[in-house]
């Protein structure tokens, strides 16, 4: 059966409230390490980005108190954690964190997330499509890459997150796992 | 009936094959195919790798070279034909008669399929392609009812392929100028309908406004399912009313018509969506593989399973069931 793609299992508001006072430094270090792994394992992403390599994307998890600026410069890609997105970006993609991760690892279809209003896009739509298609082709397993950075603790966390997602899917009619073993619905 | 599935990237090709496609269709990373979108499509090397992957699993790869060559630039389209044949494509999907002539002359052993972009919607047109270029299959435009398709299959020995799922072109494809009117770019010449370079979305207070080439073509209220920014599915104000004057933003889903399409003599069923993700391809291909199994075994065919992946979150039988006549 087909994943619902309708909105959304956002993190509860208390999670966002609990995270809000935390400093961004540790998250910045973690995400930079994750990005380095992704680039090392998926170098063809930049080939698919083509003329859009070098664009600056704002990624805004709607259920978290921070956002990310992804600069896709081929030789020096970087990701910056911010409290709110700056004005001068090429494009913005907003939605629950699980939707953004699910688009990367192949669990969710970006167009369907847009149709269902789960995600919203603004700015240079060509750049958005290039990024979406490049990442979809690469099949970036964000959870696995993140877990690898954290070591044994990360692997435990990854297993826990996958288990929770699969269990919530199994409990819900009209859903199924897909992609890299991810639960594929989060209504 | 064969299941013909889309692939916009090498990963999608592998996903389609693994999900049960009998054949996968794809195109090169340029204006020679009608899904010339950023980040999509294949290099000649990627195509050759894809063909190898498919062949090892008993599937075929069809290459769509289904735009009309620009005057003075035919070399790009000839190169695409050469590269596709060299890569081992099982068939070329073409719409331009000059390109068909080139293929028939230089590669007479290569199967030629008439693209939906050729808008061959009657027996006489199909007979011309068969007699002149030895076309083996025609992909019918999405403007015919099931009885009209049956009449065509009775009138020609050419294999017939029809769309069963995905984005729904309601115009005679290859002849639609709506995108050109708004942006100067079209699927026919440039491989892009409503190109992303001309699309703008703006969200205010939960309402999304979509614009194409400066034209406001729709507004989606808070919570209302959204749609592609194509003019044919825009919502417009006229002297009579405000609404969808061409077609609602819906996707085709003809799963329930599979018995009728089989009885009409259809050879192959095509899924639209080379611009879609691996998640879409896996779910749609698996769903139709299951539907075909149900058809073969005489079981009821599940309906409406793919609505979450559909434009506007809803489906239609399109012209296959012309209720407006």
């Amino acid at each position: 059966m087909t994943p619902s793609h309708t909105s959304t299992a956002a993190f509860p508001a208390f999670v966002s409230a609990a995270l809000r006072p935390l400093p961004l430094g540790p998250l910045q270090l973690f995400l930079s390490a994750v990005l380095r792994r992704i680039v090392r394992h998926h170098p063809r992403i930049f080939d698919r980005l083509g003329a859009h390599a070098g664009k600056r994307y704002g990624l805004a998890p709607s259920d978290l108190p921070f956002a990310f600026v992804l600069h896709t410069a081929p030789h020096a890609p970087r990701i910056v954690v911010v409290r709110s997105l700056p004005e001068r970006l090429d494009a913005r993609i907003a939605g629950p964190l699980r939707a953004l991760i699910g688009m990367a690892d192949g669990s969710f279809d970006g167009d369907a997330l847009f149709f269902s209003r789960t995600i919203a896009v603004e700015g240079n739509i060509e750049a958005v499509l290039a990024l979406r298609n490049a990442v979809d082709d690469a099949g970036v397993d964000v959870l696995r890459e993140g877990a690898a950075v954290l070591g044994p603790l990360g692997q435990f966390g990854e297993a826990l997150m996958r288990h929770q997602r699969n269990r919530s899917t199994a409990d819900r009619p009209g859903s199924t796992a897909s992609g890299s073993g991810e639960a594929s619905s989060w209504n | 009936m064969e299941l013909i599935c889309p692939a916009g990237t090498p990963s999608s090709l592998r996903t389609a094959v693994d999900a049960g496609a009998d054949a996968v269709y794809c195109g090169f990373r340029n204006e020679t195919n009608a899904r010339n979108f950023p980040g999509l499509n294949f290099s000649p090397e990627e195509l050759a790798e894809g063909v190898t992957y498919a062949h090892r699993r008993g599937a075929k790869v069809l290459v769509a070279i289904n735009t009309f060559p620009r005057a003075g630039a035919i070399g790009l389209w000839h190169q695409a034909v050469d590269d596709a044949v060299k890569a081992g494509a099982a068939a070329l999907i073409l719409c331009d008669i000059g390109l068909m002539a080139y293929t028939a002359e230089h590669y007479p052993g290569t199967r030629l399929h008439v693209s939906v972009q050729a808008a061959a919607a009657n027996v006489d047109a199909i007979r011309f392609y068969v007699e002149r270029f030895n076309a083996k299959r025609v992909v019918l435009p999405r403007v015919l009812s099931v009885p009209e398709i049956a009449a065509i299959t009775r009138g020609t020995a050419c294999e017939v392929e029809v769309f069963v799922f995905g984005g729904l072109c309601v115009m005679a494809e290859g002849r639609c100028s709506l995108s050109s009117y708004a942006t100067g770019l079209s699927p026919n010449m440039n491989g892009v309908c409503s190109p992303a370079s001309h699309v703008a979305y703006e969200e205010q207070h939960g309402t999304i406004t979509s614009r194409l080439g400066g034209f406001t073509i729709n507004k989606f209220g808070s919570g209302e399912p959204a749609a592609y920014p194509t003019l044919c599915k825009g919502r417009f104000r006229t002297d009579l009313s405000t609404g969808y004057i061409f077609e609602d933003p819906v996707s085709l889903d003809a799963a329930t018509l599979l018995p009728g399409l089989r009885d009409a003599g259809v050879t192959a069923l095509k899924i639209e969506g080379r611009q879609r993700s691996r998640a879409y391809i896996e779910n749609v291909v698996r769903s139709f593989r299951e539907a075909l199994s149900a058809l073969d075994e005489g079981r009821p065919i599940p309906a409406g399973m793919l609505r979450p992946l559909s434009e506007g979150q809803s489906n239609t039988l399109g012209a296959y069931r012309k209720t407006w006549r």
Side-chain angles (χ1 to χ4, degrees), chain B residues 38-62:
Chain B
L40 279 190
N41 298 316
F42 290 66
S43 67
E45 295 75 24
E46 288 171 336
L47 177 64
E49 292 169 8
V51 168
T52 300
Y53 185 90
H55 283 179
R56 283 179 180 161
R57 289 154 184 82
K60 293 175 284 191
V61 175
L62 320 178

Side-chain angles (χ1 to χ4, degrees), chain A residues 2 4 13 19-21 26 36 60 76 78 82 89 100-101 107 121 161-162 164 166 174:
Chain A
T2 305
S4 76
L19 293 173
R20 193 176 303 276
R36 282 195 296 274
R78 61 184 184 275
V82 294
L89 292 167
L100 302 179
I101 291 176
S107 301
V121 295
M161 285 192 70
R162 291 196 196 282
Q164 285 187 324
N166 285 331

Side-chain angles (χ1 to χ4, degrees), chain B residues 14-31:
Chain B
R14 295 191 293 271
T15 298
V17 169
D18 295 347
D22 293 307
V24 179
Y25 67 102
C26 55
F28 289 116
R29 223 186 281 185
N30 56 39
E31 62 198 288

Side-chain angles (χ1 to χ4, degrees), chain B residues 248-265:
Chain B
D248 293 354
V250 296
S251 291
L252 175 70
D253 185 353
T256 56
L257 296 182
L258 292 186
L261 293 171
R262 178 192 56 190
D263 295 344

Side-chain angles (χ1 to χ4, degrees), chain B residues 55-112:
Chain B
H55 283 179
R56 283 179 180 161
R57 289 154 184 82
K60 293 175 284 191
V61 175
L62 320 178
V63 177
I65 307 171
N66 58 347
T67 53
F68 295 90
R70 273 184 290 114
I74 188 68
L76 181 66
W77 279 260
H78 285 175
Q79 186 66 52
V81 170
D82 297 343
D83 288 342
V85 172
K86 185 180 175 187
L92 306 189
I93 307 169
L94 308 175
C95 62
D96 178 71
I97 56 173
L99 211 55
M100 291 185 194
Y102 175 85
T103 305
E105 181 179 341
H106 289 80
Y107 304 106
T110 295
R111 268 179 76 94
L112 193 157

Side-chain angles (χ1 to χ4, degrees), chain B residues 24 67 76 86 107 110 161 191 193 216 229 280-281 306 317:
Chain B
V24 179
T67 53
L76 181 66
K86 185 180 175 187
Y107 304 106
T110 295
E161 181 174 311
C193 177
T216 298
Y280 168 94
I281 287 169
L306 297 170
L317 293 171

Side-chain angles (χ1 to χ4, degrees), chain B:
Chain B
M1 292 186 284
E2 291 179 32
L3 189 56
I4 315 296
C5 306
T9 64
S11 286
S12 294
L13 183 150
R14 295 191 293 271
T15 298
V17 169
D18 295 347
D22 293 307
V24 179
Y25 67 102
C26 55
F28 289 116
R29 223 186 281 185
N30 56 39
E31 62 198 288
T32 63
N33 87 85
R35 286 289 184 273
N36 180 25
F37 294 171
L40 279 190
N41 298 316
F42 290 66
S43 67
E45 295 75 24
E46 288 171 336
L47 177 64
E49 292 169 8
V51 168
T52 300
Y53 185 90
H55 283 179
R56 283 179 180 161
R57 289 154 184 82
K60 293 175 284 191
V61 175
L62 320 178
V63 177
I65 307 171
N66 58 347
T67 53
F68 295 90
R70 273 184 290 114
I74 188 68
L76 181 66
W77 279 260
H78 285 175
Q79 186 66 52
V81 170
D82 297 343
D83 288 342
V85 172
K86 185 180 175 187
L92 306 189
I93 307 169
L94 308 175
C95 62
D96 178 71
I97 56 173
L99 211 55
M100 291 185 194
Y102 175 85
T103 305
E105 181 179 341
H106 289 80
Y107 304 106
T110 295
R111 268 179 76 94
L112 193 157
H113 293 186
V114 181
S115 167
V116 67
Q117 286 276 96
N122 59 68
V123 169
D124 291 334
I126 296 166
R127 186 178 297 129
F128 170 79
Y129 291 115
V130 171
E131 292 177 354
R132 187 65 186 83
F133 306 117
N134 196 27
K136 298 296 186 188
R137 182 179 295 180
V138 59
V139 184
L140 293 180
R142 285 161 274 192
V143 297
L144 299 163
S145 66
V146 175
E148 288 167 339
I149 292 170
I152 285 175
T153 63
R154 284 195 300 271
T156 175
C158 187
E159 297 172 359
V160 164
E161 181 174 311
V162 300
F163 282 89
V164 288
F165 189 84
L168 184 62
C169 261
V170 294
M171 306 301 175
E173 287 169 78
R175 299 172 189 169
C176 176
S177 295
L178 284 175
S179 180
S180 289
Y181 178 76
T183 71
L185 299 171
S186 74
N188 313 329
M189 303 297 292
N190 313 97
V192 281
C193 177
S194 306
S197 55
H198 290 66
V199 172
Y201 296 113
E202 182 182 335
E203 182 161 0
Q204 280 191 324
H205 311 300
T207 294
I208 295 179
T209 301
S210 61
R211 294 188 176 87
L212 180 70
F215 295 94
T216 298
I217 60 173
N218 217 331
K219 286 190 175 184
F220 303 101
S222 182
E224 184 182 11
Y228 285 128
T230 52
L231 279 176
C232 60
K233 294 172 185 172
R235 193 156 32 182
F236 302 105
R237 184 180 303 128
T238 69
D239 291 341
L240 297 175
S241 65
T242 297
Y244 294 104
I245 61 174
F246 297 111
E247 173 63 290
D248 293 354
V250 296
S251 291
L252 175 70
D253 185 353
T256 56
L257 296 182
L258 292 186
L261 293 171
R262 178 192 56 190
D263 295 344
V266 167
T267 299
L269 307 171
K270 186 165 214 156
I271 295 168
E272 186 275 346
R274 282 190 280 153
Q275 76 283 11
R276 302 292 290 267
S277 68
R278 291 179 293 129
Y280 168 94
I281 287 169
E282 179 177 2
N283 281 285
V284 177
V285 175
R286 285 198 190 286
S287 178
F288 271 89
R289 177 51 63 202
E290 167 58 23
L292 284 172
S293 295
L295 180 69
D296 289 343
E297 296 163 10
R299 291 185 280 116
I301 295 173
M305 307 302 291
L306 297 170
R307 193 167 295 129
L309 293 167
S310 301
E311 185 174 7
Q313 305 269 281
S314 60
N315 297 116
T316 178
L317 293 171
Y320 291 138
R321 188 168 291 164
K322 290 182 174 175
T323 54
W324 60 88
R325 279 188 175 175

